[in-house]
Amino acid sequence: METHIETPEDDNSRRVQVRFVTKLNSPLKVPSNSIAIPSNLTRFGLSSVVNNLLQAVNPEWKTEPFDFLINGELVRMSLEQFLLAKGISAEKILEIEYIKAVVPQKEEEPSLHDDWVSAVDGSNPGFFLTGCYDNLGRVWKSGGFCTHILEGHSGAVSSVSIINTDGVKHVTVATASKDQTVRLWKFDTEEPVIHPKKIRSFKILRGHKASVQSVAAQTPGDMVCSGSWDCTINLWRTNESNAEGDQVSIKKRKGNNQIDESQLEGEAVSTLVGHTQCVSSVVWPQQETIYSASWDHSVRTWDVETGKDISDIFCGKALNCIDVGGEGSALIAAGGSDPVLRIWDPRKPGTSAPVFQFSSHNSWISACKWHDKSWFHLISASYDGKVMLWDLRTAWPLSVIDSHKDKVMCADWWRGDSVISGGADSKLCIYSGIPIQ
């Protein structure tokens, strides 16, 4: 039987027969019969239809926003415009899938820093790690609750990386700095802390001849790689012993009434050479492959074993950030000195052309990060002060987060349903309750 739904946009527009379907569980399922709705509805109108249908079944239902997919693409115009643009007939029953709208439900208390927040890593659900222009790294259990302060760098911390993330009590992390070093730190995540505990690195990795811009851990955590203004990528071991390739010397340091502390020094195991300008960002998603982005306008893929550059993508812009993820964990996202977030699929021939380009920012892009459980979702941060949530199934951002009062320098996902971002306003912001399916 045909049902007619009254909506705010209901005027004399023609009607289309639709059936709403979803992969969401009850109580989010609407009846499967077809209904007639006005063709001029946008996603907001469609959302009110679905909420009305849910309310008819459950009077206690509280309205929530939905997004809509037709043939796997998100609807970002009126139904009529979408059908016309895609050449879809409105004569037969149209199947529309609805999903929860990907928007943050809550903004948590910001974590205040003493200077620009330049780096963040949210890959461990138990804590997140930040780097700051005050030369310190910080470990946070939650917004506003700092447990450890990483002391020792003599320049701004430009990048941070959690090395082992899976249920390990003693966590190892790496920090990169404008002081030309990478440092390794170890701390106990379960230690009860009332005031932030100051810790020193157990190993200093020296070898770069200029500021280190980015550090990334290999998946098993045995090594890290770092990209620098000296145009090179160095590979380092993360262990505490004198392994092959490590020159170890013990440095004794005395503070005020402090006992001597020893710090190992490590040399690079190998150096990857090929970029002609600053290596701004590195990622190490598979054991045998490192990806790098550079101000020389290129994204390069490196074979770790041979040290050879096995593929190059040139995009005509200086690049600031790179991440690999999405479908098959194979899509390369990068952003840089224009407002465009570019995504390449290296599995496709003619790789130099991006498969997606998102251009809603209006300044340089400083960070991009794939969601680790979704084929479609990623975030970007920009000097325009905004963080944007993207879905590959539409060219428009799902959500624009506009809480920072200055440039956003870094962003990451945390715990699967939160986004954390840091900026030149010295704030680390957390937005939670984001329903990624």
Side-chain angles (χ1 to χ4, degrees):
M1 185 182 85
E2 182 185 307
T3 311
H4 175 71
I5 298 285
E6 294 292 333
T7 71
E9 296 164 81
D10 205 354
D11 53 16
N12 297 323
S13 114
R14 72 193 185 105
R15 302 194 182 292
V16 286
Q17 287 279 328
V18 304
R19 179 182 293 115
F20 288 105
V21 297
T22 190
K23 296 185 180 80
L24 297 169
N25 296 326
S26 175
L28 290 160
K29 282 192 190 299
V30 300
S32 59
N33 51 311
S34 72
I35 59 172
I37 60 172
S39 63
N40 66 346
L41 291 187
T42 63
R43 65 190 171 116
F44 302 109
L46 292 169
S47 206
S48 81
V49 170
V50 168
N51 276 294
N52 287 344
L53 291 168
L54 291 168
Q55 220 150 19
V57 179
N58 173 12
E60 304 293 301
W61 175 255
K62 287 185 171 50
T63 300
E64 66 171 89
F66 293 101
D67 252 320
F68 297 87
L69 292 150
I70 296 174
N71 294 345
E73 193 167 338
L74 281 160
V75 177
R76 278 293 183 273
M77 49 188 84
S78 77
L79 209 46
E80 191 148 37
Q81 290 166 321
F82 186 90
L83 298 180
L84 201 60
K86 303 296 169 188
I88 299 169
S89 165
E91 300 307 312
K92 51 187 185 190
I93 295 171
L94 186 65
E95 195 164 87
I96 303 179
E97 182 185 354
Y98 61 97
I99 59 177
K100 287 186 176 187
V102 176
V103 291
Q105 309 294 319
K106 187 179 165 201
E107 185 173 343
E108 298 184 18
E109 197 59 37
S111 304
L112 299 176
H113 291 62
D114 295 331
D115 208 331
W116 291 11
V117 184
S118 43
V120 64
D121 185 340
S123 59
N124 188 305
F127 67 91
F128 58 88
L129 182 63
T130 61
C132 182
Y133 266 61
D134 63 4
N135 306 350
L136 301 173
R138 289 175 176 83
V139 181
W140 304 83
K141 275 282 188 199
S142 59
F145 180 26
C146 176
T147 58
H148 296 80
I149 295 174
L150 314 183
E151 278 192 337
H153 281 296
S154 58
V157 176
S158 47
S159 180
V160 295
S161 180
I162 298 169
I163 294 170
N164 49 354
T165 58
D166 299 330
V168 185
K169 188 182 171 194
H170 288 281
V171 172
T172 309
V173 303
T175 56
S177 167
K178 296 189 183 297
D179 68 9
Q180 306 187 11
T181 71
V182 172
R183 290 174 188 241
L184 302 177
W185 318 73
K186 204 180 270 292
F187 52 87
D188 180 353
T189 55
E190 292 168 20
E191 184 179 21
V193 172
I194 301 167
H195 302 294
K197 183 178 180 181
K198 294 180 176 177
I199 57 173
R200 298 190 77 82
S201 57
F202 70 82
K203 197 171 193 180
I204 304 170
L205 308 177
R206 299 187 197 274
H208 282 298
K209 295 178 176 61
S211 169
V212 188
Q213 281 298 102
S214 182
V215 63
Q218 186 188 35
T219 316
D222 299 332
M223 297 181 80
V224 293
C225 67
S226 55
S228 165
W229 274 94
D230 67 12
C231 311
T232 68
I233 299 163
N234 278 345
L235 276 58
W236 318 84
R237 297 193 195 282
T238 59
N239 57 9
E240 292 178 74
S241 62
N242 182 6
E244 185 188 343
D246 271 349
Q247 272 310 112
V248 176
S249 63
I250 302 295
K251 298 281 183 190
K252 296 285 183 188
R253 302 180 190 274
K254 266 191 179 159
N256 297 332
N257 304 320
Q258 286 184 327
I259 55 165
D260 289 356
E261 290 188 61
S262 63
Q263 284 177 303
L264 303 172
E265 290 205 359
E267 282 187 354
V269 176
S270 62
T271 301
L272 309 179
V273 178
H275 282 295
T276 57
Q277 288 198 44
C278 167
V279 181
S280 52
S281 187
V282 287
V283 286
W284 199 339
Q286 300 105 19
Q287 198 166 344
E288 65 286 350
T289 314
I290 289 169
Y291 298 81
S292 60
S294 167
W295 281 31
D296 67 11
H297 302 182
S298 74
V299 168
R300 296 181 189 234
T301 309
W302 304 84
D303 182 310
V304 171
E305 199 170 321
T306 64
K308 294 277 187 294
D309 164 8
I310 48 179
S311 87
D312 300 342
I313 298 167
F314 287 91
C315 79
K317 295 291 170 188
L319 294 171
N320 295 325
C321 56
I322 186 173
D323 196 31
V324 175
E327 182 189 344
S329 299
L331 302 180
I332 300 168
S337 62
D338 69 356
V340 183
L341 178 64
R342 294 174 175 83
I343 296 167
W344 294 271
D345 187 342
R347 300 166 299 185
K348 295 198 168 161
T351 302
S352 60
V355 287
F356 299 98
Q357 295 192 81
F358 297 125
S359 44
S360 294
H361 283 296
N362 55 35
S363 187
W364 287 28
I365 291 173
S366 52
C368 57
K369 196 77 187 180
W370 290 99
H371 191 281
D372 64 355
K373 298 282 192 299
S374 169
W375 278 19
F376 305 109
H377 294 95
L378 72 163
I379 51 172
S380 61
S382 167
Y383 289 175
D384 65 11
K386 295 178 174 63
V387 177
M388 295 190 182
L389 276 67
W390 300 96
D391 186 314
L392 298 186
R393 295 167 293 188
T394 178
W396 290 272
L398 297 180
S399 181
V400 178
I401 297 167
D402 198 7
S403 300
H404 287 282
K405 302 289 179 279
D406 205 330
K407 296 192 286 275
V408 185
M409 320 260 317
C410 56
D412 199 1
W413 297 94
W414 189 40
R415 295 177 170 168
D417 76 336
S418 300
V419 167
I420 44 184
S421 63
D425 56 5
S426 304
K427 286 200 304 190
L428 191 288
C429 297
I430 307 175
Y431 323 91
S432 58
I434 304 170
I436 300 284
Q437 291 154 246

Short mmCIF file of all heavy atoms in Angstrom, two decimals, residues 46-94:
data_model
loop_
_atom_site.label_atom_id
_atom_site.label_comp_id
_atom_site.label_asym_id
_atom_site.label_seq_id
_atom_site.Cartn_x
_atom_site.Cartn_y
_atom_site.Cartn_z
N LEU A 46 14.74 14.37 3.75
CA LEU A 46 14.73 12.90 3.81
C LEU A 46 14.95 12.43 5.26
O LEU A 46 14.32 11.47 5.72
CB LEU A 46 15.85 12.33 2.92
CG LEU A 46 15.67 12.53 1.41
CD1 LEU A 46 16.96 12.18 0.67
CD2 LEU A 46 14.51 11.69 0.88
N SER A 47 15.81 13.15 5.97
CA SER A 47 16.08 12.80 7.37
C SER A 47 14.82 12.96 8.21
O SER A 47 14.51 12.12 9.07
CB SER A 47 17.19 13.72 7.90
OG SER A 47 17.89 13.12 8.95
N SER A 48 14.05 14.02 7.94
CA SER A 48 12.82 14.20 8.73
C SER A 48 11.78 13.13 8.39
O SER A 48 11.03 12.68 9.25
CB SER A 48 12.28 15.62 8.59
OG SER A 48 11.56 15.77 7.41
N VAL A 49 11.79 12.66 7.12
CA VAL A 49 10.88 11.55 6.74
C VAL A 49 11.23 10.30 7.55
O VAL A 49 10.37 9.66 8.16
CB VAL A 49 10.96 11.25 5.22
CG1 VAL A 49 10.22 9.96 4.89
CG2 VAL A 49 10.40 12.40 4.41
N VAL A 50 12.54 9.94 7.56
CA VAL A 50 12.97 8.73 8.27
C VAL A 50 12.68 8.87 9.77
O VAL A 50 12.19 7.93 10.42
CB VAL A 50 14.46 8.43 8.00
CG1 VAL A 50 14.99 7.36 8.95
CG2 VAL A 50 14.64 7.98 6.56
N ASN A 51 12.95 10.03 10.34
CA ASN A 51 12.65 10.25 11.76
C ASN A 51 11.15 10.13 12.05
O ASN A 51 10.75 9.57 13.07
CB ASN A 51 13.19 11.60 12.23
CG ASN A 51 14.67 11.53 12.60
OD1 ASN A 51 15.04 10.87 13.56
ND2 ASN A 51 15.52 12.19 11.82
N ASN A 52 10.31 10.65 11.12
CA ASN A 52 8.84 10.50 11.28
C ASN A 52 8.42 9.04 11.26
O ASN A 52 7.58 8.60 12.05
CB ASN A 52 8.11 11.26 10.17
CG ASN A 52 8.16 12.76 10.36
OD1 ASN A 52 8.47 13.23 11.45
ND2 ASN A 52 7.88 13.51 9.30
N LEU A 53 9.02 8.28 10.33
CA LEU A 53 8.69 6.85 10.23
C LEU A 53 9.12 6.10 11.49
O LEU A 53 8.40 5.22 11.99
CB LEU A 53 9.38 6.23 9.00
CG LEU A 53 8.84 6.69 7.63
CD1 LEU A 53 9.79 6.25 6.52
CD2 LEU A 53 7.44 6.15 7.39
N LEU A 54 10.29 6.45 12.02
CA LEU A 54 10.77 5.80 13.26
C LEU A 54 9.89 6.19 14.45
O LEU A 54 9.61 5.36 15.31
CB LEU A 54 12.23 6.20 13.52
CG LEU A 54 13.26 5.62 12.54
CD1 LEU A 54 14.61 6.31 12.69
CD2 LEU A 54 13.42 4.11 12.72
N GLN A 55 9.43 7.43 14.45
CA GLN A 55 8.59 7.91 15.55
C GLN A 55 7.21 7.24 15.52
O GLN A 55 6.60 6.99 16.56
CB GLN A 55 8.43 9.42 15.45
CG GLN A 55 8.49 10.10 16.80
CD GLN A 55 9.06 11.50 16.69
OE1 GLN A 55 9.08 12.08 15.60
NE2 GLN A 55 9.52 12.04 17.80
N ALA A 56 6.74 6.95 14.30
CA ALA A 56 5.43 6.29 14.17
C ALA A 56 5.46 4.90 14.80
O ALA A 56 4.47 4.43 15.37
CB ALA A 56 5.06 6.20 12.69
N VAL A 57 6.62 4.25 14.72
CA VAL A 57 6.77 2.91 15.31
C VAL A 57 7.09 3.02 16.80
O VAL A 57 6.63 2.22 17.61
CB VAL A 57 7.91 2.13 14.58
CG1 VAL A 57 8.10 0.75 15.19
CG2 VAL A 57 7.62 2.03 13.09
N ASN A 58 7.86 4.03 17.15
CA ASN A 58 8.31 4.19 18.54
C ASN A 58 8.14 5.65 18.98
O ASN A 58 8.99 6.49 18.67
CB ASN A 58 9.80 3.75 18.62
CG ASN A 58 10.40 4.04 19.97
OD1 ASN A 58 9.70 4.35 20.94
ND2 ASN A 58 11.73 3.97 20.06
N PRO A 59 7.07 5.97 19.69
CA PRO A 59 6.79 7.35 20.09
C PRO A 59 7.90 7.98 20.94
O PRO A 59 8.00 9.20 21.03
CB PRO A 59 5.49 7.24 20.90
CG PRO A 59 4.89 5.93 20.52
CD PRO A 59 6.03 5.03 20.15
N GLU A 60 8.74 7.13 21.56
CA GLU A 60 9.84 7.63 22.40
C GLU A 60 11.06 8.06 21.57
O GLU A 60 12.03 8.56 22.11
CB GLU A 60 10.31 6.53 23.38
CG GLU A 60 9.22 5.95 24.27
CD GLU A 60 8.70 7.00 25.25
OE1 GLU A 60 9.52 7.51 26.03
OE2 GLU A 60 7.51 7.33 25.17
N TRP A 61 10.99 7.82 20.25
CA TRP A 61 12.15 8.05 19.40
C TRP A 61 12.60 9.51 19.45
O TRP A 61 11.82 10.43 19.31
CB TRP A 61 11.82 7.67 17.95
CG TRP A 61 12.95 8.00 17.01
CD1 TRP A 61 13.02 9.02 16.12
CD2 TRP A 61 14.20 7.31 16.92
NE1 TRP A 61 14.22 9.02 15.47
CE2 TRP A 61 14.97 7.98 15.94
CE3 TRP A 61 14.75 6.20 17.56
CZ2 TRP A 61 16.25 7.57 15.59
CZ3 TRP A 61 16.02 5.79 17.22
CH2 TRP A 61 16.76 6.47 16.24
N LYS A 62 13.92 9.71 19.66
CA LYS A 62 14.49 11.07 19.65
C LYS A 62 15.15 11.31 18.29
O LYS A 62 15.98 10.51 17.85
CB LYS A 62 15.52 11.23 20.78
CG LYS A 62 14.87 11.31 22.15
CD LYS A 62 15.91 11.60 23.23
CE LYS A 62 15.28 11.90 24.57
NZ LYS A 62 14.28 10.93 25.01
N THR A 63 14.77 12.40 17.66
CA THR A 63 15.25 12.73 16.31
C THR A 63 16.78 12.75 16.24
O THR A 63 17.43 13.28 17.12
CB THR A 63 14.71 14.11 15.90
OG1 THR A 63 13.29 14.04 15.93
CG2 THR A 63 15.16 14.50 14.51
N GLU A 64 17.31 12.14 15.16
CA GLU A 64 18.75 12.25 14.92
C GLU A 64 19.02 12.39 13.42
O GLU A 64 18.19 12.00 12.59
CB GLU A 64 19.53 11.09 15.53
CG GLU A 64 19.29 9.72 14.95
CD GLU A 64 20.30 8.73 15.53
OE1 GLU A 64 20.03 8.12 16.57
OE2 GLU A 64 21.37 8.58 14.92
N PRO A 65 20.17 12.98 13.04
CA PRO A 65 20.42 13.23 11.62
C PRO A 65 20.88 11.97 10.88
O PRO A 65 21.62 11.15 11.42
CB PRO A 65 21.54 14.28 11.64
CG PRO A 65 22.26 14.07 12.95
CD PRO A 65 21.24 13.53 13.91
N PHE A 66 20.42 11.84 9.63
CA PHE A 66 20.83 10.72 8.78
C PHE A 66 21.42 11.25 7.47
O PHE A 66 21.17 12.39 7.06
CB PHE A 66 19.63 9.82 8.45
CG PHE A 66 19.09 9.08 9.65
CD1 PHE A 66 17.95 9.53 10.30
CD2 PHE A 66 19.73 7.95 10.13
CE1 PHE A 66 17.45 8.85 11.41
CE2 PHE A 66 19.25 7.27 11.24
CZ PHE A 66 18.10 7.72 11.88
N ASP A 67 22.20 10.39 6.82
CA ASP A 67 22.67 10.64 5.47
C ASP A 67 22.09 9.57 4.56
O ASP A 67 21.69 8.49 5.04
CB ASP A 67 24.21 10.61 5.42
CG ASP A 67 24.79 12.00 5.24
OD1 ASP A 67 24.19 12.77 4.45
OD2 ASP A 67 25.82 12.32 5.86
N PHE A 68 22.11 9.84 3.24
CA PHE A 68 21.40 8.96 2.31
C PHE A 68 22.26 8.62 1.10
O PHE A 68 22.94 9.48 0.53
CB PHE A 68 20.10 9.66 1.87
CG PHE A 68 19.18 9.89 3.03
CD1 PHE A 68 19.31 11.05 3.79
CD2 PHE A 68 18.26 8.94 3.42
CE1 PHE A 68 18.52 11.26 4.91
CE2 PHE A 68 17.47 9.13 4.53
CZ PHE A 68 17.59 10.29 5.28
N LEU A 69 22.21 7.32 0.74
CA LEU A 69 22.99 6.81 -0.39
C LEU A 69 22.05 6.26 -1.46
O LEU A 69 21.11 5.51 -1.15
CB LEU A 69 23.90 5.67 0.08
CG LEU A 69 25.06 6.04 1.01
CD1 LEU A 69 25.38 4.87 1.92
CD2 LEU A 69 26.29 6.41 0.21
N ILE A 70 22.30 6.65 -2.70
CA ILE A 70 21.60 6.04 -3.84
C ILE A 70 22.67 5.48 -4.75
O ILE A 70 23.59 6.20 -5.17
CB ILE A 70 20.73 7.08 -4.59
CG1 ILE A 70 19.60 7.59 -3.66
CG2 ILE A 70 20.13 6.46 -5.85
CD1 ILE A 70 18.78 8.72 -4.25
N ASN A 71 22.60 4.18 -5.01
CA ASN A 71 23.62 3.49 -5.82
C ASN A 71 25.03 3.76 -5.29
O ASN A 71 25.97 4.01 -6.05
CB ASN A 71 23.54 3.90 -7.29
CG ASN A 71 22.25 3.44 -7.94
OD1 ASN A 71 21.55 2.58 -7.39
ND2 ASN A 71 21.91 4.02 -9.08
N GLY A 72 25.17 3.75 -3.95
CA GLY A 72 26.48 3.88 -3.33
C GLY A 72 27.05 5.28 -3.28
O GLY A 72 28.19 5.48 -2.91
N GLU A 73 26.26 6.30 -3.66
CA GLU A 73 26.75 7.68 -3.62
C GLU A 73 25.88 8.51 -2.68
O GLU A 73 24.66 8.41 -2.68
CB GLU A 73 26.72 8.27 -5.03
CG GLU A 73 27.49 9.57 -5.12
CD GLU A 73 27.73 10.01 -6.56
OE1 GLU A 73 27.69 9.16 -7.47
OE2 GLU A 73 27.95 11.21 -6.75
N LEU A 74 26.54 9.34 -1.87
CA LEU A 74 25.81 10.17 -0.93
C LEU A 74 25.04 11.27 -1.65
O LEU A 74 25.56 11.91 -2.57
CB LEU A 74 26.77 10.80 0.09
CG LEU A 74 27.21 9.87 1.22
CD1 LEU A 74 28.49 10.37 1.86
CD2 LEU A 74 26.13 9.73 2.27
N VAL A 75 23.82 11.50 -1.21
CA VAL A 75 22.97 12.53 -1.81
C VAL A 75 23.32 13.88 -1.18
O VAL A 75 23.21 14.06 0.03
CB VAL A 75 21.47 12.21 -1.57
CG1 VAL A 75 20.58 13.30 -2.13
CG2 VAL A 75 21.12 10.85 -2.19
N ARG A 76 23.76 14.82 -2.02
CA ARG A 76 24.14 16.15 -1.51
C ARG A 76 23.44 17.27 -2.29
O ARG A 76 23.93 18.37 -2.40
CB ARG A 76 25.67 16.34 -1.61
CG ARG A 76 26.42 15.70 -0.45
CD ARG A 76 26.09 16.42 0.85
NE ARG A 76 26.83 15.93 2.00
CZ ARG A 76 26.45 14.92 2.75
NH1 ARG A 76 25.34 14.27 2.47
NH2 ARG A 76 27.16 14.55 3.81
N MET A 77 22.26 16.95 -2.87
CA MET A 77 21.42 17.94 -3.56
C MET A 77 19.99 17.44 -3.41
O MET A 77 19.74 16.44 -2.73
CB MET A 77 21.85 18.07 -5.03
CG MET A 77 22.00 16.75 -5.76
SD MET A 77 22.72 16.90 -7.41
CE MET A 77 24.46 16.94 -7.07
N SER A 78 19.04 18.10 -4.01
CA SER A 78 17.67 17.59 -3.89
C SER A 78 17.58 16.26 -4.65
O SER A 78 18.38 15.99 -5.55
CB SER A 78 16.67 18.59 -4.46
OG SER A 78 16.68 18.52 -5.88
N LEU A 79 16.60 15.46 -4.26
CA LEU A 79 16.40 14.15 -4.88
C LEU A 79 16.26 14.29 -6.39
O LEU A 79 16.89 13.57 -7.16
CB LEU A 79 15.12 13.53 -4.27
CG LEU A 79 15.03 12.02 -4.18
CD1 LEU A 79 16.30 11.40 -3.65
CD2 LEU A 79 13.83 11.63 -3.32
N GLU A 80 15.46 15.27 -6.80
CA GLU A 80 15.21 15.49 -8.23
C GLU A 80 16.51 15.82 -8.97
O GLU A 80 16.80 15.25 -10.02
CB GLU A 80 14.23 16.66 -8.39
CG GLU A 80 13.71 16.79 -9.80
CD GLU A 80 12.29 17.33 -9.85
OE1 GLU A 80 11.94 18.20 -9.02
OE2 GLU A 80 11.54 16.85 -10.71
N GLN A 81 17.30 16.73 -8.39
CA GLN A 81 18.57 17.10 -9.03
C GLN A 81 19.52 15.90 -9.10
O GLN A 81 20.22 15.70 -10.09
CB GLN A 81 19.25 18.23 -8.24
CG GLN A 81 18.56 19.57 -8.34
CD GLN A 81 19.08 20.55 -7.29
OE1 GLN A 81 19.35 20.17 -6.15
NE2 GLN A 81 19.22 21.80 -7.67
N PHE A 82 19.53 15.10 -8.04
CA PHE A 82 20.41 13.94 -7.99
C PHE A 82 20.03 12.94 -9.08
O PHE A 82 20.89 12.45 -9.83
CB PHE A 82 20.34 13.27 -6.61
CG PHE A 82 21.33 12.15 -6.42
CD1 PHE A 82 22.59 12.41 -5.91
CD2 PHE A 82 21.01 10.84 -6.77
CE1 PHE A 82 23.51 11.38 -5.74
CE2 PHE A 82 21.92 9.80 -6.61
CZ PHE A 82 23.17 10.08 -6.08
N LEU A 83 18.74 12.64 -9.21
CA LEU A 83 18.28 11.66 -10.20
C LEU A 83 18.60 12.15 -11.61
O LEU A 83 19.04 11.38 -12.47
CB LEU A 83 16.78 11.41 -10.05
CG LEU A 83 16.33 10.81 -8.71
CD1 LEU A 83 14.82 10.60 -8.69
CD2 LEU A 83 17.03 9.49 -8.43
N LEU A 84 18.40 13.45 -11.81
CA LEU A 84 18.69 14.05 -13.12
C LEU A 84 20.18 13.97 -13.43
O LEU A 84 20.59 13.54 -14.52
CB LEU A 84 18.24 15.51 -13.10
CG LEU A 84 17.98 16.19 -14.45
CD1 LEU A 84 16.89 15.46 -15.22
CD2 LEU A 84 17.60 17.65 -14.25
N ALA A 85 21.01 14.34 -12.45
CA ALA A 85 22.47 14.36 -12.65
C ALA A 85 23.00 12.96 -12.92
O ALA A 85 23.96 12.78 -13.68
CB ALA A 85 23.14 14.95 -11.42
N LYS A 86 22.39 11.96 -12.30
CA LYS A 86 22.91 10.58 -12.44
C LYS A 86 22.16 9.78 -13.50
O LYS A 86 22.45 8.60 -13.71
CB LYS A 86 22.80 9.84 -11.08
CG LYS A 86 23.53 10.53 -9.94
CD LYS A 86 25.01 10.58 -10.17
CE LYS A 86 25.72 11.48 -9.19
NZ LYS A 86 27.12 11.69 -9.51
N GLY A 87 21.16 10.40 -14.14
CA GLY A 87 20.39 9.70 -15.16
C GLY A 87 19.60 8.52 -14.62
O GLY A 87 19.48 7.47 -15.26
N ILE A 88 19.05 8.67 -13.41
CA ILE A 88 18.29 7.58 -12.78
C ILE A 88 16.80 7.83 -13.00
O ILE A 88 16.31 8.95 -12.78
CB ILE A 88 18.59 7.50 -11.26
CG1 ILE A 88 20.08 7.21 -11.03
CG2 ILE A 88 17.72 6.45 -10.58
CD1 ILE A 88 20.53 7.38 -9.59
N SER A 89 16.09 6.82 -13.43
CA SER A 89 14.66 6.96 -13.70
C SER A 89 13.88 7.10 -12.39
O SER A 89 14.14 6.39 -11.42
CB SER A 89 14.16 5.73 -14.46
OG SER A 89 12.75 5.68 -14.41
N ALA A 90 12.91 8.03 -12.39
CA ALA A 90 12.05 8.21 -11.21
C ALA A 90 10.74 7.45 -11.37
O ALA A 90 9.83 7.58 -10.57
CB ALA A 90 11.77 9.69 -11.00
N GLU A 91 10.66 6.64 -12.44
CA GLU A 91 9.40 5.92 -12.72
C GLU A 91 9.26 4.67 -11.86
O GLU A 91 8.17 4.25 -11.55
CB GLU A 91 9.33 5.54 -14.21
CG GLU A 91 9.37 6.74 -15.15
CD GLU A 91 8.30 7.78 -14.81
OE1 GLU A 91 7.13 7.40 -14.61
OE2 GLU A 91 8.65 8.97 -14.71
N LYS A 92 10.40 4.05 -11.52
CA LYS A 92 10.29 2.84 -10.69
C LYS A 92 10.62 3.16 -9.25
O LYS A 92 11.09 4.26 -8.94
CB LYS A 92 11.19 1.72 -11.23
CG LYS A 92 12.61 2.13 -11.48
CD LYS A 92 13.37 1.01 -12.16
CE LYS A 92 14.84 1.40 -12.28
NZ LYS A 92 15.59 0.52 -13.10
N ILE A 93 10.39 2.19 -8.37
CA ILE A 93 10.63 2.42 -6.94
C ILE A 93 12.13 2.60 -6.72
O ILE A 93 12.95 1.77 -7.12
CB ILE A 93 10.08 1.26 -6.08
CG1 ILE A 93 8.56 1.19 -6.20
CG2 ILE A 93 10.48 1.42 -4.61
CD1 ILE A 93 7.93 -0.03 -5.57
N LEU A 94 12.47 3.69 -6.06
CA LEU A 94 13.86 4.06 -5.82
C LEU A 94 14.28 3.56 -4.44
O LEU A 94 13.61 3.83 -3.45
CB LEU A 94 13.96 5.59 -5.88
CG LEU A 94 15.32 6.23 -5.80
CD1 LEU A 94 16.17 5.86 -7.02
CD2 LEU A 94 15.17 7.75 -5.72
#
